């Protein structure tokens, strides 16, 4: 089953069930007024949504064309966003870039932060800010959970995963060192994330979803050029069940909690990988690319995002069809000269 | 105007308008189904709620008895909780206690973290956990905002404050050092907060609300004994307008965002204060008391919370009437022997 939230002028949008090929959708608001409402009573509501989805496939209900550009984030506002750092290659590179240590515990205890969830950007919403902030994208996979009890085991946690999405976890690199230096995590340096147009149930992902991981290359493009092709199923040191269990150690998680994988990142022959242009899998954020340049050339060459840049994040199935639709954001940033 | 959310078996509860003396209330769900719904359209809805509140005072609408024990948190789940550290005496003491430095920037740049908001405890809900975690209370003041635009000024920010509440920002002291050491802030070490039974508009606070600060002693009791009497209007280094503007520097804040003051804490003659039993204003959390004991006696004597302990947090007006109702939580903790 694939679900989306269409822009209708309200804060929570209009819930639709989307065809598997993302071309058509049908209104689902008679079943649940919003995706949050569906998540609140998932066991009761999901079967009806799934039945409606089958009707979309068979053409037995009226449908409308589905336009990714009309989609808000599936949950335009959510009660919780916790982002893990499951791809340790990313953590190693980004910490190296800002001269921070990589503690041994990071290999066994997931790194995770509580991020803003009161407003997620739609997949085509502009990425706004100030160039001086060092705006960067981060391509990630995330899951949306049902209610998770405190102390939930890693295995049980997998059963609470309702939906899977892609996320652009926007980072303001130039604000991060000072803010993390204060010791209380990110507030100003992690503004609103963007979410893929469509949220997909684990079942509908088929073999690509195995043991709490999503396999396949995460296609990150910058200004139309391939920037990252890292496989989300490779080197994910903590699967989503582990990330959820970590989050739920001392508290329950409410339905609609979004848990992120952290930036998808692959090593190459045990090293930090190579840019796509050099035949590698590339990177799912600019910060990693800059670190690689620094290692290779003594200085970072790729700038962070500027006004007019276009970031695209997508994932395709074995037949080349987009699974979640594409995040494609134009940067609308005040320039450094202002 | 005073608002509360009564337990009714749903996630968002039932919105009521409460009399100023907290004895009576009346259903407000015909005006707005929930407090979040009211905040979403505050300018349109607040006048109707205020009119209903006046009718409660004059007895011109049917009322029911208001029981604090029936109240959920005013926002049982919220889209955002950002907690500042505006009382620097607290920051100095708690950091000293864990051997952390107090950077100069803390005196000019507010410290703030993004906390969990997907489930706030009601004022009488048990405080659960494991004694090994070092469960502590923190008495705080918080505001609930309307929509705040990105880049909002400190002065404008004050105009976006809709409601004021008290909060018990529960901290798991024994989990904090390792988690903060990872550099990404709190996840496991800050479980659900509890909120006062009633949320109050700034207007209804009268002179106690001035220039973005709430004045008056925050009454924190532990097992029926006075533990803290610190004045929330004293030594608040950043008023709520400054805290909101800090949060909104790189992003907008959605209606229903809760911004906390941090633990209320007063100095005494420039020093770290004295326990209530020694004639001082005491402390709004156990960690500060333990630090004082450490300074005076070389070791902390007051333990963190144990099973059966009772924490009470309240504030009274000049006539001795409770303003927000009382947070009063029994600790239900697994013991260390388990």
């Amino acid at each position: 089953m694939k679900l989306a939230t269409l822009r209708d002028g309200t804060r929570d949008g209009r819930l639709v069930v989307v065809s598997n090929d993302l071309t058509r959708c049908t209104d689902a608001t008679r079943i649940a007024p919003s995706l949050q409402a569906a998540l609140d009573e998932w066991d009761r509501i999901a079967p009806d949504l799934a039945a409606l989805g089958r009707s979309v496939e068979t053409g037995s209900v009226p449908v409308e064309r589905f336009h990714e550009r009309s989609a808000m984030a599936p949950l335009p506002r959510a009660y919780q966003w916790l982002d893990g750092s499951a791809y340790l290659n990313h953590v190693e590179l980004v910490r190296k870039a800002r001269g921070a240590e990589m503690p041994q515990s990071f290999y066994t205890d997931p790194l995770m932060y509580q991020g803003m969830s009161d407003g997620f950007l739609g997949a085509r919403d502009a990425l706004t800010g100030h160039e001086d902030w060092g705006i960067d994208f981060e391509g990630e996979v995330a899951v949306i959970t049902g209610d998770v009890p405190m102390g939930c085991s890693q295995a049980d946690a997998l059963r609470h995963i309702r939906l899977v999405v892609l996320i652009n976890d926007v980072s303001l690199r130039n604000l991060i060192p000072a803010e993390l230096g204060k010791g209380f995590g990110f507030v100003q340096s992690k503004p609103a994330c963007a979410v893929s147009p469509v949220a997909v149930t684990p079942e509908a992902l088929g073999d690509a979803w195995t043991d709490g991981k999503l396999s396949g290359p995460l296609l990150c493009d910058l200004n139309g050029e391939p920037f990252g092709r890292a496989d989300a199923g490779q080197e994910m040191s903590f699967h989503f069940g582990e990330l959820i269990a970590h989050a739920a150690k001392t508290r329950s998680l409410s339905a609609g909690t979004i848990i992120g994988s952290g930036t998808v990142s692959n090593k190459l022959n045990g090293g930090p990988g190579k840019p796509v242009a050099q035949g590698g899998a590339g990177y799912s954020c600019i910060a990693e690319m800059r670190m690689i340049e620094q290692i290779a050339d003594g200085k970072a060459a790729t700038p962070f995002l500027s006004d007019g840049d276009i970031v695209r994040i997508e994932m395709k199935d074995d037949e080349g069809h987009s699974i979640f639709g594409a995040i494609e954001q134009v940067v609308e940033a005040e320039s450094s000269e202002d």
Side-chain angles (χ1 to χ4, degrees), chain A:
Chain A
M1 174 166 62
K2 299 193 175 190
L3 299 171
T5 296
L6 297 187
R7 197 170 284 111
D8 70 347
T10 68
R11 292 177 187 261
D12 297 309
R14 179 164 72 92
L15 182 65
V16 295
V17 178
V18 184
S19 64
N20 285 325
D21 65 2
L22 308 186
T23 61
R24 292 152 291 137
C25 65
T26 196
D27 190 276
T29 52
R30 274 179 300 179
I31 299 174
S34 67
L35 181 54
Q36 182 63 53
L39 290 159
D40 283 348
E41 298 184 70
W42 189 255
D43 289 344
R44 183 175 71 76
I45 286 173
D48 291 345
L49 293 174
L52 189 59
R54 288 190 293 274
S55 299
V56 169
E57 297 303 330
T58 59
S60 56
V61 285
V63 294
E64 53 192 298
R65 276 198 67 163
F66 176 69
H67 298 289
E68 296 182 15
R69 66 173 183 272
S70 303
M72 304 172 80
L75 284 177
R77 51 181 178 173
Y79 294 106
Q80 183 154 251
W81 158 237
L82 289 163
D83 196 12
S85 293
Y87 300 90
L88 295 178
N89 193 45
H90 169 76
V91 185
E92 289 170 1
L93 283 172
V94 174
R95 291 181 85 86
K96 202 178 281 185
R98 57 168 197 266
E101 291 277 310
M102 178 79 173
Q104 270 305 312
S105 66
F106 283 19
Y107 297 94
T108 53
D109 182 37
L111 194 60
M112 181 175 282
Y113 73 90
Q114 181 105 32
M116 65 164 276
S117 59
D118 66 313
F120 283 93
L121 300 176
R124 301 297 150 84
D125 288 348
L127 213 172
T128 61
H130 198 293
E131 290 179 3
D132 286 343
W133 294 342
I135 306 169
D136 197 0
F137 66 94
E138 292 192 349
E140 308 197 357
V141 180
V143 298
I144 303 176
T145 76
D147 291 304
V148 179
M150 181 165 99
C152 183
S153 73
Q154 297 176 357
D156 277 345
L158 291 175
R159 287 195 280 274
H160 295 294
I161 295 173
R162 302 289 181 246
L163 295 162
V164 183
V165 294
L166 303 183
I167 283 198
N168 176 11
D169 176 41
V170 180
S171 293
L172 305 178
R173 298 287 178 202
N174 296 343
L175 305 186
I176 288 179
E179 189 161 53
L180 290 193
K182 291 161 73 178
F184 273 18
F186 308 96
V187 175
Q188 294 179 337
S189 48
K190 289 275 188 182
C193 302
V195 188
S196 55
V198 170
V200 181
T201 55
E203 298 74 32
L205 292 166
D207 292 342
W209 180 260
T210 311
D211 298 333
K213 299 181 186 184
L214 179 65
S215 293
L218 185 68
L219 312 174
C220 297
D221 291 356
L222 179 57
N223 297 325
E225 297 293 327
F227 195 91
R229 295 292 182 266
D231 193 308
Q234 301 296 315
E235 300 161 47
M236 189 186 186
S237 301
F238 308 103
H239 64 66
F240 279 108
E242 291 173 275
L243 295 176
I244 293 167
H246 178 86
K249 184 188 170 189
T250 59
R251 66 211 226 189
S252 57
L253 312 179
S254 291
T257 289
I258 309 176
I259 305 268
S261 66
T263 309
V264 177
S265 187
N266 293 164
K267 287 185 180 293
L268 184 67
N269 302 324
K274 281 186 190 172
V276 173
Q278 295 171 28
Y283 305 98
S284 307
C285 69
I286 295 173
E288 288 187 33
M289 175 68 119
R290 288 169 59 88
M291 188 60 215
I292 294 300
E293 291 165 344
Q294 183 129 14
I295 292 169
D297 312 320
K299 72 188 228 327
T302 307
F304 291 121
L305 297 171
S306 304
D307 191 57
D309 279 343
I310 299 175
V311 174
R312 187 179 167 98
I313 300 172
E314 192 174 18
M315 201 176 237
K316 293 183 175 173
D317 65 18
D318 292 342
E319 286 149 14
H321 300 302
S322 185
I323 303 173
F324 304 93
I327 296 170
E328 188 173 293
Q329 298 185 271
V330 177
V331 178
E332 293 179 2
E334 294 172 71
S335 74
S336 304
E337 284 74 40
D338 285 359

